Amino acid sequence: MVFRRPLLPWFLLNAVLLAVLAIRGTLRYPHLPDRIPERIGLDGVDAWTGRSIGSAFALVFLYAGVTVLITVCAEMTLRVTPRDELHGEAVPSAAGRAPSSLVVRPAGLGAARRIARAVLVLDACIGISPLFGCGVLWRSTPEAEVPVWLFAALVLPPLAGTVLTVAAAATGRKR
């Protein structure tokens, strides 16, 4: 995949977040207790598991997978032919609606770039959540209590990124 130049700085932001998570985890791993949180609920830690690479770095691996998937989606957004570059197909059908193949297309190249950037910003917002989650996961002592603000710190950044992405997609499809 050839990554498009307009998206490179936005992709690098996600790569830096992933590197920070990986380095932070690598430095914390030797100091982790034998038991680390497996599942965290609103009332604190619900279940414990033994310390292993898989359990300690689960959020990092998950974010790495999400980053690959979202990066591919952003790249593919730029490869879709925008509606304003289509010839002949852009004419509405007899029912007065655009053909179904035009519904998911951005209006133009500028709109496609905005949507692709918004998708990569969404990935960065998703990447902020593991920073907080790993802070609880990588504590030096096995405590069942978690801070009250953790749920908001895990949910609000991806929610904000989703709102930005939907807004970019909605404005990108207008004529």
Side-chain angles (χ1 to χ4, degrees):
M1 169 169 45
V2 178
F3 208 72
R4 307 293 171 123
R5 188 172 189 79
L7 298 182
L8 190 57
W10 303 95
F11 170 72
L12 291 177
L13 172 65
N14 298 318
V16 166
L17 273 171
L18 190 57
V20 165
L21 273 170
I23 291 169
R24 183 176 168 208
T26 302
L27 294 174
R28 292 290 309 142
Y29 187 77
H31 306 289
L32 293 178
D34 291 336
R35 230 174 45 134
I36 62 173
E38 179 180 18
R39 196 174 56 243
I40 300 171
L42 292 175
D43 295 332
V45 177
D46 294 338
W48 299 89
T49 187
R51 179 182 74 171
S52 69
I53 298 289
S55 62
F57 287 90
L59 292 176
V60 179
F61 296 147
L62 181 66
Y63 179 55
V66 167
T67 298
V68 168
L69 179 66
I70 288 181
T71 301
V72 168
C73 289
E75 179 68 22
M76 297 311 291
T77 300
L78 293 179
R79 292 177 184 255
V80 171
T81 306
R83 281 184 294 188
D84 64 359
E85 293 181 16
L86 293 175
H87 305 288
E89 290 182 49
V91 179
S93 65
R97 292 181 299 207
S100 62
S101 65
L102 298 177
V103 174
V104 295
R105 293 179 186 272
L109 185 57
R113 285 187 181 138
R114 281 190 302 278
I115 293 168
R117 279 192 302 260
V119 166
L120 290 174
V121 168
L122 170 62
D123 187 39
C125 291
I126 290 170
I128 292 170
S129 291
L131 287 173
F132 294 109
C134 288
V136 171
L137 189 67
W138 296 336
R139 292 188 287 198
S140 299
T141 57
E143 299 173 26
E145 293 183 15
V146 294
V148 198
W149 52 264
L150 181 65
F151 181 73
L154 293 174
V155 171
L156 291 179
L159 184 62
T162 302
V163 168
L164 290 172
T165 303
V166 169
T171 58
R173 291 202 176 114
K174 291 181 181 174
R175 278 214 110 127

